[in-house]
């Protein structure tokens, strides 16, 4: 999950900070990573649909995410473009305990509540980058 007011220890915040300060970004597994980056508004939509529903078993376990894998390097490229910088990358081996690919399976949430994320990576990263620059005054 990424977006305004997110956790500053997460990749989008760390990447933005390092990019804007001209520092190298640690990129694990030589960049061969895939994640299901989901914008906060889409997470809110999924939670709200379940919480406010009067139909179905709203106590079930649902996986809320985008459901579309995004290569890490694509995410970095979009963020760098939106921040107007050329990122410096520190290509590193895989970290112990990490996995190269993760993705949400939102099939049940879609079937039961019609949930479909709407925010593209390009739109979400653009909104995050704009917020980041204003909030941190950079």
């Amino acid at each position: 999950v990424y977006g305004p007011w997110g956790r500053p220890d997460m990749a989008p915040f760390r990447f933005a900070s390092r990019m804007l300060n001209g520092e190298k970004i640690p990129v694990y597994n030589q960049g061969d990573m895939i994640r299901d980056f989901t914008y906060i508004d889409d997470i809110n939509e999924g939670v709200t649909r379940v919480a406010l529903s009067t139909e179905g078993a709203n106590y079930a376990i649902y996986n809320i995410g985008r459901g579309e894998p995004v290569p890490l390097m694509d995410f970095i490229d979009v963020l760098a473009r939106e921040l107007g910088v050329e990122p410096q990358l520190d290509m590193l081996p895989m970290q112990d305990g990490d996995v190269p690919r993760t993705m949400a399976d939102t099939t049940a949430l879609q079937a039961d509540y019609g949930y479909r994320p709407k925010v593209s990576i390009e739109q979400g990263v653009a909104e995050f980058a704009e917020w980041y620059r204003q909030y941190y005054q950079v």
Side-chain angles (χ1 to χ4, degrees):
V1 177
Y2 72 98
W5 303 104
R7 288 179 27 207
D9 62 318
M10 299 297 286
F13 281 83
R14 291 183 318 149
F15 290 172
S17 175
R18 287 176 182 246
M19 283 182 194
L20 291 169
N21 288 317
E23 300 170 8
K24 287 187 174 185
I25 298 169
V27 181
Y28 296 99
N29 202 31
Q30 307 301 320
D32 187 17
M33 304 285 273
I34 292 180
R35 294 292 184 259
D36 191 6
F37 293 101
T38 309
Y39 194 68
I40 187 63
D41 291 358
D42 285 333
I43 296 294
N44 289 340
E45 174 70 20
V47 170
T48 301
R49 282 179 183 250
V50 174
L52 298 180
S53 176
T54 58
E55 299 179 18
N58 59 0
Y59 55 84
I61 296 172
Y62 292 100
N63 197 338
I64 302 176
R66 184 154 174 73
E68 295 179 17
V70 175
L72 178 60
M73 296 308 298
D74 290 357
F75 186 87
I76 291 171
D77 288 344
V78 173
L79 182 57
R81 183 175 64 239
E82 291 299 329
L83 292 173
V85 299
E86 184 67 36
Q88 297 179 35
L89 308 177
D90 185 10
M91 304 305 268
L92 301 167
M94 181 69 112
Q95 295 185 95
D96 290 342
D98 203 352
V99 294
R101 289 161 177 69
T102 61
M103 187 179 86
D105 179 357
T106 61
T107 306
L109 189 58
Q110 288 177 7
D112 292 354
Y113 295 96
Y115 168 81
R116 284 187 178 29
K118 297 176 184 155
V119 181
S120 69
I121 292 299
E122 290 77 12
Q123 177 188 353
V125 170
E127 290 180 20
F128 169 75
E130 180 180 345
W131 171 86
Y132 188 96
R133 281 189 171 281
Q134 289 177 358
Y135 184 78
Y136 291 101
Q137 300 177 352
V138 290

